[in-house]
Amino acid sequence: KSRAAGRVLSPATFVTGIASISYFSMASGGGWVIAPDCRQLFVARYMDWLITTPLLLIDLGVVAGVSRWDIMALCLSDILMIACGAFGALTVGNVKWVWWFFGMLWFFHIIFALGKSWAEAAKAKGGESGSVYSKIAGITVITWFCYPIVWVFAEGFGNFSVTFEVLIYGVLDVISKAVFGLILMSGASTGYEAI
């Protein structure tokens, strides 16, 4: 039991640690550059996302019981999505929106897999794992839908102040990472049967 639970709790632990380092970097005045549009851009956030969001997907995939290939494919889509967002944030003019569009193509691939094929695999698996998957996938899909909207008004149009942007992304990160981890831990008592 404890070994199976460790397979899902270890990535969640790293997610929290990496996000903590990223936010400490930003809070201590580092981890940012001036983007070409003269806006402060926190690259520490993108570095955090490049590492932590694939770890979240690994947890989701393990709990759902999908193949390693399916997990790897979705992690690569995620990395491409984050890279497109970062390149868009570092670009001025209409090219920024081309990057956003490509990022959204990868985003919808992820959302579709989480809501369709991975959800079906978790449901077929049944038990506590299926219930936990449903909760953490729900949190992931809902919060991840908010990120590109914030990007449009922050990095995209520049309508949000940098302070408000940091606050909104911070709240989303707490929900999508810390709350995710707490729910994941709630299922650990069962040992995630069949993992």
Side-chain angles (χ1 to χ4, degrees):
K1 275 188 167 183
S2 62
R3 186 172 178 208
R7 288 181 58 196
V8 294
L9 296 179
S10 292
T13 303
F14 287 114
V15 165
T16 305
I18 293 162
S20 297
I21 291 168
S22 171
Y23 274 92
F24 178 74
S25 168
M26 293 185 286
S28 63
W32 61 274
V33 297
I34 298 296
D37 62 358
C38 298
R39 181 179 174 84
Q40 186 179 20
L41 177 69
F42 286 95
V43 292
R45 179 184 307 122
Y46 285 95
M47 291 170 59
D48 167 354
W49 291 340
L50 276 171
I51 301 168
T52 60
T53 56
L55 290 172
L56 294 171
L57 292 172
I58 289 169
D59 268 339
L60 283 158
V62 169
V63 172
V66 297
S67 72
R68 290 181 178 160
W69 168 250
D70 288 339
I71 294 171
M72 185 181 69
L74 222 57
C75 286
L76 291 173
S77 292
D78 178 63
I79 290 167
L80 289 168
M81 173 187 71
I82 301 297
C84 287
F87 292 143
L90 289 167
T91 306
V92 292
N94 291 332
V95 175
K96 170 184 300 254
W97 299 106
V98 174
W99 283 116
W100 184 83
F101 174 78
F102 285 130
M104 292 303 294
L105 291 177
W106 296 113
F107 171 77
F108 284 117
H109 172 243
I110 295 164
I111 296 302
F112 181 77
L114 293 178
K116 180 81 172 124
S117 57
W118 288 27
E120 290 170 356
K123 185 177 180 182
K125 189 174 172 186
E128 184 70 16
S129 295
S131 172
V132 170
Y133 176 84
S134 179
K135 291 174 190 171
I136 60 177
I139 284 176
T140 301
V141 168
I142 291 167
T143 56
W144 284 24
F145 257 105
C146 296
Y147 285 95
I149 295 168
V150 173
W151 191 97
V152 164
F153 292 105
E155 289 99 325
F157 292 123
N159 293 347
F160 289 169
S161 70
V162 173
T163 303
F164 185 68
E165 169 194 330
V166 169
L167 176 68
I168 291 286
Y169 279 138
V171 169
L172 289 171
D173 280 351
V174 167
I175 296 168
S176 66
K177 295 175 184 174
V179 173
F180 177 104
L182 290 172
I183 293 170
L184 198 61
M185 285 174 37
S186 75
S189 62
T190 67
Y192 286 104
E193 68 284 335
I195 288 181

